[in-house]
Amino acid sequence: MCRGIVVCFVYKVDEERREGSRIQDERLIEKIKAGHQQALRLLIERYKGHVFKVTYSVVRDEKEAEDLAQETFIKMMDALPSYQSQGFKTWLSRIAMNKAIDYKRKKARQKEDLAYETLEYERMQSAEEEWLEREKVLAVSHSIGLLPANYQGVVQAYYIEGKSYNEIAREHALEEKTVEMRLYRARKWMKRNWKEDEF
């Protein structure tokens, strides 16, 4: 029971408007079921703004919300034969909401899948790089073993262990100039005796 004439009047007008809208919806739906295209256009025109608001409230992207609104009306047309006059606006809103939620879930899954694939790819790349590095070190170590004996130590220390001239000189009890000279001669020997891709 409502209080006050104005409040009662507004409530009654709203109720009548809603009832009139429901009757109009039901008439349009009956015509659509009978194959009237104009009735379908009128129904879509009537609810496209509402459907957009529903989809946008979930996805928060205008373009995606528009696409989902179109998909909602396609789904509505497929499902209309099973519609049982249960309140069209609520029924249509449920379709729109489900479409938007499904889309959001699918997008989240795609992001997770992409992140997983990227991680797997990086792991594979890392493992492959490690393997190549080991192979390279083994190949270079083998090749160093083919050098004249007096070059082997300095080449191993400089190229494989990454030591400086000073460190090599101290470890091998040599002058820095001698280390530099041996490395220079070792490079010349490699150029003469090996193919380019071997050093």
Side-chain angles (χ1 to χ4, degrees), residues 77-147:
M77 286 159 60
D78 290 340
L80 215 50
S82 64
Y83 171 72
Q84 297 294 320
S85 304
Q86 63 259 49
F88 180 74
K89 190 174 182 180
T90 307
W91 182 78
L92 185 63
S93 298
R94 201 175 301 123
I95 293 173
M97 185 64 77
N98 289 340
K99 275 274 167 203
I101 289 168
D102 287 349
Y103 173 81
K104 205 167 179 186
R105 281 183 188 146
K106 188 179 174 185
K107 206 167 180 190
R109 271 197 308 273
Q110 283 172 343
K111 264 188 192 168
E112 284 170 15
D113 290 348
L114 184 63
Y116 176 76
E117 283 170 18
T118 304
L119 189 64
E120 278 299 294
Y121 176 75
E122 283 169 1
R123 277 187 193 144
M124 282 168 63
Q125 286 290 97
S126 176
E128 190 179 348
E129 280 165 16
E130 278 177 35
W131 180 80
L132 285 171
E133 197 56 41
R134 276 200 304 272
E135 287 298 303
K136 196 170 21 171
V137 169
L138 284 170
V140 171
S141 296
H142 173 72
S143 297
I144 288 169
L146 303 174
L147 285 165

Side-chain angles (χ1 to χ4, degrees), residues 4 9 19 26 28-29 64 69-70 84 88 96 99 118 125 134 144 161 175 190:
F9 177 74
E19 187 57 36
E26 298 305 325
L28 285 171
I29 290 161
E64 287 171 358
Q70 286 180 2
Q84 297 294 320
F88 180 74
K99 275 274 167 203
T118 304
Q125 286 290 97
R134 276 200 304 272
I144 288 169
E161 295 161 22
E175 294 291 323
M190 286 187 263

Side-chain angles (χ1 to χ4, degrees), residues 153-193:
V154 291
V155 168
Q156 174 77 25
Y158 186 75
Y159 288 106
I160 303 299
E161 295 161 22
K163 291 177 179 172
S164 67
Y165 286 0
N166 184 269
E167 288 172 311
I168 298 166
R170 275 189 284 110
E171 282 178 16
H172 291 262
L174 298 167
E175 294 291 323
E176 271 191 56
K177 203 77 185 146
T178 308
V179 171
E180 191 179 345
M181 188 56 67
R182 284 190 186 177
L183 284 169
Y184 170 75
R185 286 180 180 158
R187 281 193 290 271
K188 279 186 80 173
W189 187 92
M190 286 187 263
K191 280 183 183 175
R192 272 198 318 272
N193 295 281

Side-chain angles (χ1 to χ4, degrees), residues 15-47:
E15 202 173 64
E16 283 172 2
R17 193 179 295 136
R18 279 197 298 272
E19 187 57 36
S21 185
R22 270 197 292 270
I23 291 165
Q24 278 184 324
D25 287 347
E26 298 305 325
R27 283 181 184 151
L28 285 171
I29 290 161
E30 286 309 311
K31 285 181 180 179
I32 293 164
K33 285 179 177 179
H36 290 262
Q37 288 299 306
Q38 183 60 23
L40 177 62
R41 279 193 285 275
L42 285 169
L43 195 67
I44 290 171
E45 194 60 37
R46 187 170 189 172
Y47 284 106

